Amino acid sequence: MNEINVGSLPLPAQEDYSYFFSLFQDVLNEMNTNPTAATTTGRNVGDNWRKRKVSEGDSADEEEITTPNNKNRVKEILSSYLLLEEQEKLDQQEWSNDYQQERQIIESNYKQRSQAMLDYYNNLQGYYSDLEESDDQLRTKRSRLSASAVAAAAVASTSDATIRAGGGAATGHHRRLWVKDRSRAWWDRCNHPDFPEEEFQRAFRMGRATFDMICEELNSVVAKEDTMLRAAIPVRQRVAVCIWRLATGEPLRLVSKRFGLGISTCHKLVLEVCSAIKTVLMPKFLQWPDEEKLKNIRNEFESISGIPNVVGSMYTTHVPIIAPKISVAAYFNRRHTERNQKTSYTITVQGVVDPRGVFTDVCIGWPGSMPDDQVLEKSALYQRANGGLLKGDWIVGSSGYPLMDWVLVPYTHQHLTWTQHAFNEKIGEIQCVAKEAFTRLKGRWSCLQKRTEVKLQDLPVVLGACCVLHNICEMRNEVMGPDLRFELIDDEMVPESRLRSVSSMQARDNIAHNLLHHGLAGTTFFQ
């Protein structure tokens, strides 16, 4: 197709264009009918055109309109129009061809995709048919194996009864067909009545009598029934797995070797027994004391320090954990990391103890980046104390806690007076009670000294069980060996707001004055 350039041709206005078309159409028709009159007709056309231009106010004269040049110009315009019309028809034809080609391509692709989809669904249906046949075969095989196992168990029980009826001695545990045979020699030796008491206490951090008491308390919750295919793990062994794991902090693979159980079984037993300790033993051995016990606690703390109305000593420690998958920055402990030159992640354990070092309140599980005062604000003790539980009583804390109506802390500003030094000395004696309790807690239960395999969501239950077992050992006067001594290091952060109550500041000043005035403090300055 040849390219036609019409850009150089002068085109008339829209109204002239329509007029020329009708005019030239008449001329062509007349020329076709009478060729000899073409000249006359052309002149008449020119006259009509001239008359129209004059009527519109055109300044051109008649001679100029009727010149041959204008006639040629009109012919050029007519030919241009015809060329444009032909070009438009060619363009429409080309567009129509392109549209047909694209339509054919789309229809071809659609047919191919439809066929591929049909083939895919046919293959998928055949796969599911094969899978259903495989499932039917597998169910048949399992049913046969189950029937064989039941028959074998019945034969074994019949043989055992026959041996016993015949007077034979049935010695040893009957080995199940599908259970791995593991050695339980160590646990059988520890569980024997002739096992030395000292070694039992070294292994489980408590005497046999305390261990038996715990097993008796947990028996109704921990005990399981035997099944036809295997015997249930005894309660004593279940409790022993948990306590030995908490006491030594050994990995589960070593626990598995000690007790002749699977690793997953040992992990499950630890969580089950810890949950049972929280449910059954915590209400009995870790609760806020009643009024009669509080009276004895006040008297004992006053005999230690001379400060009246003290009902508890408070301390917050950190337990190392593996870096969690969520909220990593919240559990990052910057102070431990800087001191040990090793990245450390921890959770907090806040506890209040009585003069014997027995926990009366614990708050477990807040991230290690939180300072002590924020952990206190998140605890249930804070809510109960603000509700009036500790009205008129004091809980002694370190300098990491703020001074409040019920929290008594030492003076922390510079240039202390003699009276303030004496007061801090007595406050330190009470604070040592809580710190020593946490030292024994971590020394007795070594799982608190290093990162454990327990998941973060299960860790508060395990730590709560450690606190309950600590209270049981303290109440029953279980002695710790010197080799279990643990050095407790927890960095204290001064709270942003050291003073929460003006009346508490006046009360602290009065206590400090009375201690020095009555000769109950400050004696070390004279030595």
Side-chain angles (χ1 to χ4, degrees):
M1 180 177 62
N2 296 328
E3 183 177 358
I4 301 175
N5 185 9
V6 297
S8 61
L9 299 178
L11 298 177
Q14 182 66 27
E15 56 182 4
D16 296 336
Y17 188 81
S18 59
Y19 172 75
F20 288 151
F21 177 75
S22 59
L23 179 63
F24 292 146
Q25 190 68 32
D26 297 336
V27 171
L28 290 175
N29 294 333
E30 185 177 354
M31 289 176 64
N32 290 331
T33 55
N34 190 5
T36 58
T39 304
T40 306
T41 304
R43 185 179 296 111
N44 294 333
V45 172
D47 293 338
N48 293 333
W49 185 32
R50 179 182 55 79
K51 291 178 182 180
R52 178 176 176 272
K53 291 295 184 178
V54 171
S55 64
E56 293 179 357
D58 195 346
S59 61
D61 55 2
E62 181 179 358
E63 293 181 356
E64 183 179 1
I65 294 175
T66 58
T67 58
N69 292 332
N70 290 336
K71 294 180 180 179
N72 294 333
R73 187 176 179 183
V74 170
K75 291 181 180 180
E76 290 178 356
I77 291 173
L78 179 61
S79 61
S80 298
Y81 168 76
L82 295 175
L83 290 175
L84 287 175
E85 186 176 6
E86 182 179 0
Q87 179 67 27
E88 183 178 2
K89 291 180 180 179
L90 292 175
D91 291 341
Q92 290 180 355
Q93 183 65 30
E94 184 178 359
W95 292 340
S96 178
N97 294 335
D98 293 341
Y99 171 76
Q100 292 295 333
Q101 293 178 0
E102 291 179 357
R103 181 176 180 181
Q104 292 176 0
I105 293 173
I106 293 174
E107 290 179 352
S108 177
N109 293 336
Y110 174 76
K111 291 179 180 179
Q112 292 178 359
R113 292 181 181 180
S114 299
Q115 185 63 34
M117 186 64 69
L118 291 175
D119 295 340
Y120 172 77
Y121 280 121
N122 292 332
N123 295 334
L124 187 63
Q125 186 176 4
Y127 170 77
Y128 279 120
S129 299
D130 296 339
L131 188 61
E132 290 178 357
E133 293 178 359
S134 300
D135 289 341
D136 294 338
Q137 295 176 0
L138 186 59
R139 292 193 192 97
T140 304
K141 185 176 180 179
R142 286 179 178 176
S143 62
R144 291 177 181 176
L145 291 176
S146 300
S148 300
V150 172
V155 171
S157 60
T158 304
S159 300
D160 190 19
T162 303
I163 292 174
R164 292 179 181 176
T171 59
H173 179 69
H174 179 67
R175 180 181 176 183
R176 305 299 176 182
L177 297 178
W178 55 277
V179 177
K180 183 179 179 180
D181 190 12
R182 295 183 175 91
S183 176
R184 299 190 307 173
W186 183 85
W187 164 242
D188 292 338
R189 187 165 57 89
C190 290
N191 195 34
H192 197 273
D194 296 335
F195 189 73
E197 181 70 17
E198 294 79 8
E199 295 185 15
F200 188 94
Q201 187 172 9
R202 188 180 301 111
F204 297 99
R205 307 298 193 261
M206 62 183 67
R208 193 184 302 273
T210 304
F211 180 83
D212 293 340
M213 184 272 295
I214 294 175
C215 292
E216 183 179 355
E217 291 284 344
L218 300 179
N219 183 75
S220 60
V221 180
V222 176
K224 304 294 182 181
E225 295 183 356
D226 296 341
T227 62
M228 184 178 60
L229 297 180
R230 70 173 183 178
I233 302 173
V235 173
R236 290 179 61 84
Q237 188 176 3
R238 290 173 177 269
V239 176
V241 168
C242 178
I243 293 181
W244 195 81
R245 163 85 164 129
L246 299 180
T248 61
E250 297 291 343
L252 291 172
R253 56 182 179 84
L254 297 182
V255 181
S256 173
K257 292 181 179 180
R258 289 277 184 176
F259 292 90
L261 301 172
I263 295 177
S264 60
T265 302
C266 293
H267 178 68
K268 182 179 179 181
L269 289 179
V270 171
L271 296 181
E272 287 181 355
V273 175
C274 287
S275 180
I277 291 174
K278 178 183 177 181
T279 303
V280 178
L281 298 182
M282 184 174 284
K284 297 181 180 180
F285 297 98
L286 203 162
Q287 288 294 321
W288 188 255
D290 55 21
E291 187 59 35
E292 183 178 356
K293 293 181 180 179
L294 284 177
K295 183 178 180 181
N296 296 331
I297 292 174
R298 295 188 192 99
N299 296 333
E300 292 184 26
F301 273 124
E302 187 172 2
S303 63
I304 294 174
S305 63
I307 301 177
N309 300 327
V310 175
V311 295
S313 177
M314 182 167 54
Y315 187 82
T316 299
T317 189
H318 291 255
V319 177
I321 61 173
I322 299 175
K325 296 181 180 179
I326 58 174
S327 303
V328 179
Y331 292 91
F332 175 72
N333 193 311
R334 179 179 56 83
R335 301 181 299 278
H336 286 196
T337 301
E338 293 175 353
R339 184 179 65 250
N340 301 328
Q341 298 300 316
K342 184 177 180 181
T343 304
S344 177
Y345 299 91
T346 61
I347 66 171
T348 60
V349 178
Q350 173 191 285
V352 179
V353 301
D354 63 9
R356 299 173 58 188
V358 175
F359 289 102
T360 57
D361 183 87
V362 290
C363 178
I364 302 171
W366 290 105
S369 62
M370 295 177 59
D372 296 348
D373 60 326
Q374 293 184 12
V375 175
L376 177 61
E377 292 177 359
K378 299 290 185 179
S379 65
L381 176 66
Y382 185 86
Q383 305 297 330
R384 296 198 306 267
N386 288 341
L389 175 65
L390 298 175
K391 187 176 183 180
D393 292 327
W394 296 102
I395 291 180
V396 174
S398 64
S399 58
Y401 300 100
L403 179 64
M404 295 188 291
D405 290 334
W406 53 278
V407 178
L408 192 61
V409 298
Y411 292 96
T412 56
H413 59 271
Q414 296 181 351
H415 309 296
L416 300 179
T417 64
W418 192 359
T419 303
Q420 293 169 348
H421 274 295
F423 174 82
N424 286 356
E425 178 184 350
K426 291 301 180 181
I427 284 290
E429 293 178 359
I430 300 178
Q431 183 63 22
C432 283
V433 176
K435 191 170 183 179
E436 285 295 325
F438 274 96
T439 300
R440 294 194 298 274
L441 173 71
K442 286 191 172 183
R444 179 176 280 122
W445 312 113
S446 301
C447 67
L448 306 179
Q449 302 174 14
K450 52 188 176 182
R451 295 183 299 178
T452 178
E453 300 170 351
V454 180
K455 294 181 180 179
L456 184 61
Q457 59 267 24
D458 298 327
L459 200 53
V461 177
V462 176
L463 300 184
C466 291
C467 294
V468 174
L469 295 175
H470 166 86
N471 282 3
I472 294 175
C473 293
E474 293 292 319
M475 294 176 180
R476 297 178 67 90
N477 299 320
E478 296 289 346
V479 181
M480 288 179 55
D483 56 325
L484 298 178
R485 182 70 183 177
F486 178 76
E487 184 180 0
L488 187 65
I489 300 177
D490 287 299
D491 301 318
E492 296 179 355
M493 293 182 61
V494 178
E496 296 181 358
S497 178
R498 300 182 182 181
L499 180 63
R500 302 286 181 89
S501 172
V502 178
S503 60
S504 60
M505 182 175 60
Q506 183 64 35
R508 181 175 64 175
D509 292 340
N510 293 335
I511 294 174
H513 176 75
N514 292 332
L515 288 175
L516 187 64
H517 182 73
H518 292 89
L520 300 176
T523 55
T524 57
F525 294 98
F526 295 102
Q527 298 178 358

